[in-house]
Short mmCIF file of all heavy atoms in Angstrom, two decimals:
data_model
loop_
_atom_site.label_atom_id
_atom_site.label_comp_id
_atom_site.label_asym_id
_atom_site.label_seq_id
_atom_site.Cartn_x
_atom_site.Cartn_y
_atom_site.Cartn_z
N ALA A 255 -15.47 1.20 11.02
CA ALA A 255 -14.81 1.10 12.34
C ALA A 255 -13.78 -0.02 12.35
O ALA A 255 -12.70 0.12 12.91
CB ALA A 255 -15.87 0.88 13.42
N ASN A 256 -14.12 -1.15 11.72
CA ASN A 256 -13.19 -2.28 11.65
C ASN A 256 -11.93 -1.95 10.87
O ASN A 256 -10.83 -2.30 11.26
CB ASN A 256 -13.87 -3.50 11.01
CG ASN A 256 -14.43 -4.45 12.05
OD1 ASN A 256 -13.93 -4.55 13.16
ND2 ASN A 256 -15.50 -5.14 11.69
N LEU A 257 -12.11 -1.24 9.75
CA LEU A 257 -10.96 -0.85 8.93
C LEU A 257 -10.09 0.15 9.68
O LEU A 257 -8.85 0.11 9.59
CB LEU A 257 -11.43 -0.24 7.60
CG LEU A 257 -12.08 -1.21 6.61
CD1 LEU A 257 -12.66 -0.47 5.42
CD2 LEU A 257 -11.08 -2.25 6.14
N SER A 258 -10.73 1.03 10.43
CA SER A 258 -9.99 2.00 11.23
C SER A 258 -9.20 1.29 12.32
O SER A 258 -8.04 1.63 12.60
CB SER A 258 -10.96 3.01 11.85
OG SER A 258 -10.27 4.05 12.49
N LEU A 259 -9.81 0.27 12.92
CA LEU A 259 -9.13 -0.54 13.94
C LEU A 259 -7.92 -1.26 13.36
O LEU A 259 -6.88 -1.38 14.02
CB LEU A 259 -10.14 -1.56 14.51
CG LEU A 259 -9.61 -2.66 15.42
CD1 LEU A 259 -9.14 -2.07 16.75
CD2 LEU A 259 -10.69 -3.70 15.69
N CYS A 260 -8.05 -1.74 12.13
CA CYS A 260 -6.95 -2.47 11.49
C CYS A 260 -5.80 -1.55 11.09
O CYS A 260 -4.71 -2.02 10.76
CB CYS A 260 -7.46 -3.20 10.25
SG CYS A 260 -8.60 -4.53 10.63
N GLY A 261 -6.05 -0.24 11.08
CA GLY A 261 -5.00 0.70 10.69
C GLY A 261 -4.91 0.91 9.20
O GLY A 261 -3.82 1.15 8.66
N VAL A 262 -6.05 0.81 8.51
CA VAL A 262 -6.07 1.06 7.06
C VAL A 262 -5.77 2.54 6.81
O VAL A 262 -6.31 3.40 7.51
CB VAL A 262 -7.44 0.66 6.47
CG1 VAL A 262 -7.60 1.16 5.04
CG2 VAL A 262 -7.60 -0.86 6.52
N PRO A 263 -4.91 2.86 5.85
CA PRO A 263 -4.47 4.24 5.65
C PRO A 263 -5.61 5.25 5.52
O PRO A 263 -6.65 4.97 4.91
CB PRO A 263 -3.69 4.16 4.33
CG PRO A 263 -3.13 2.78 4.33
CD PRO A 263 -4.18 1.92 4.99
N PHE A 264 -5.38 6.40 6.17
CA PHE A 264 -6.21 7.60 6.13
C PHE A 264 -7.52 7.49 6.91
O PHE A 264 -8.36 8.37 6.82
CB PHE A 264 -6.48 8.03 4.68
CG PHE A 264 -5.22 8.09 3.86
CD1 PHE A 264 -5.05 7.27 2.76
CD2 PHE A 264 -4.19 8.94 4.22
CE1 PHE A 264 -3.87 7.29 2.03
CE2 PHE A 264 -3.01 8.98 3.49
CZ PHE A 264 -2.86 8.16 2.39
N LEU A 265 -7.68 6.44 7.70
CA LEU A 265 -8.74 6.40 8.69
C LEU A 265 -8.14 6.73 10.05
O LEU A 265 -6.91 6.79 10.21
CB LEU A 265 -9.43 5.04 8.71
CG LEU A 265 -10.19 4.65 7.43
CD1 LEU A 265 -10.75 3.25 7.54
CD2 LEU A 265 -11.31 5.63 7.14
N ALA A 266 -8.99 6.94 11.07
CA ALA A 266 -8.51 7.45 12.36
C ALA A 266 -7.44 6.57 13.00
O ALA A 266 -6.42 7.07 13.47
CB ALA A 266 -9.70 7.60 13.31
N GLY A 267 -7.65 5.25 12.99
CA GLY A 267 -6.71 4.36 13.65
C GLY A 267 -5.34 4.33 13.01
O GLY A 267 -4.34 4.08 13.67
N PHE A 268 -5.29 4.64 11.71
CA PHE A 268 -4.01 4.61 10.99
C PHE A 268 -3.03 5.64 11.54
O PHE A 268 -1.85 5.37 11.71
CB PHE A 268 -4.28 4.86 9.50
CG PHE A 268 -3.05 5.16 8.69
CD1 PHE A 268 -2.17 4.15 8.34
CD2 PHE A 268 -2.78 6.46 8.28
CE1 PHE A 268 -1.04 4.43 7.58
CE2 PHE A 268 -1.65 6.74 7.53
CZ PHE A 268 -0.79 5.72 7.18
N TYR A 269 -3.53 6.84 11.83
CA TYR A 269 -2.65 7.94 12.24
C TYR A 269 -1.96 7.66 13.57
O TYR A 269 -0.82 8.06 13.77
CB TYR A 269 -3.46 9.24 12.33
CG TYR A 269 -3.81 9.80 10.98
CD1 TYR A 269 -4.97 9.41 10.33
CD2 TYR A 269 -2.97 10.70 10.34
CE1 TYR A 269 -5.30 9.91 9.08
CE2 TYR A 269 -3.27 11.19 9.08
CZ TYR A 269 -4.44 10.80 8.45
OH TYR A 269 -4.75 11.28 7.21
N SER A 270 -2.65 6.97 14.48
CA SER A 270 -2.04 6.69 15.79
C SER A 270 -1.27 5.37 15.77
O SER A 270 -0.12 5.32 16.22
CB SER A 270 -3.11 6.67 16.88
OG SER A 270 -4.16 5.79 16.55
N LYS A 271 -1.87 4.31 15.23
CA LYS A 271 -1.21 3.00 15.27
C LYS A 271 0.06 2.99 14.42
O LYS A 271 1.09 2.47 14.84
CB LYS A 271 -2.16 1.91 14.76
CG LYS A 271 -3.15 1.42 15.80
CD LYS A 271 -4.00 0.29 15.28
CE LYS A 271 -3.28 -1.03 15.32
NZ LYS A 271 -4.17 -2.16 15.00
N ASP A 272 -0.03 3.55 13.23
CA ASP A 272 1.12 3.52 12.34
C ASP A 272 2.29 4.32 12.90
O ASP A 272 3.45 3.93 12.75
CB ASP A 272 0.73 4.06 10.96
CG ASP A 272 1.61 3.52 9.85
OD1 ASP A 272 1.63 2.30 9.67
OD2 ASP A 272 2.30 4.32 9.19
N LEU A 273 1.98 5.40 13.58
CA LEU A 273 3.04 6.22 14.19
C LEU A 273 3.72 5.46 15.33
O LEU A 273 4.94 5.50 15.48
CB LEU A 273 2.43 7.53 14.70
CG LEU A 273 3.36 8.74 14.81
CD1 LEU A 273 4.10 8.98 13.50
CD2 LEU A 273 2.58 9.98 15.21
N ILE A 274 2.91 4.75 16.13
CA ILE A 274 3.48 3.93 17.21
C ILE A 274 4.39 2.85 16.64
O ILE A 274 5.51 2.63 17.11
CB ILE A 274 2.35 3.29 18.07
CG1 ILE A 274 1.60 4.36 18.85
CG2 ILE A 274 2.93 2.26 19.04
CD1 ILE A 274 0.36 3.85 19.57
N VAL A 275 3.92 2.18 15.58
CA VAL A 275 4.69 1.09 14.97
C VAL A 275 5.99 1.62 14.38
O VAL A 275 7.07 1.05 14.58
CB VAL A 275 3.85 0.39 13.87
CG1 VAL A 275 4.71 -0.55 13.05
CG2 VAL A 275 2.70 -0.37 14.50
N GLU A 276 5.93 2.75 13.67
CA GLU A 276 7.12 3.29 13.01
C GLU A 276 8.15 3.77 14.04
O GLU A 276 9.35 3.55 13.86
CB GLU A 276 6.72 4.42 12.07
CG GLU A 276 6.02 3.93 10.82
CD GLU A 276 5.69 5.05 9.86
OE1 GLU A 276 5.80 6.23 10.26
OE2 GLU A 276 5.30 4.76 8.72
N LEU A 277 7.67 4.42 15.09
CA LEU A 277 8.61 4.88 16.12
C LEU A 277 9.19 3.70 16.90
O LEU A 277 10.33 3.73 17.33
CB LEU A 277 7.93 5.88 17.06
CG LEU A 277 7.69 7.28 16.46
CD1 LEU A 277 6.88 8.14 17.40
CD2 LEU A 277 9.02 7.97 16.14
N ALA A 278 8.36 2.65 17.09
CA ALA A 278 8.86 1.44 17.76
C ALA A 278 9.95 0.78 16.93
O ALA A 278 10.89 0.19 17.48
CB ALA A 278 7.71 0.47 18.01
N CYS A 279 9.84 0.86 15.60
CA CYS A 279 10.85 0.28 14.72
C CYS A 279 12.19 1.00 14.84
O CYS A 279 13.23 0.45 14.47
CB CYS A 279 10.38 0.33 13.27
SG CYS A 279 9.06 -0.84 12.89
#
């Protein structure tokens, strides 16, 4: 759960957080 929260690739949090960050860029 912690790794998913951090946005580690291929866990649940990565798919949403990374997309937000990339689109924000």
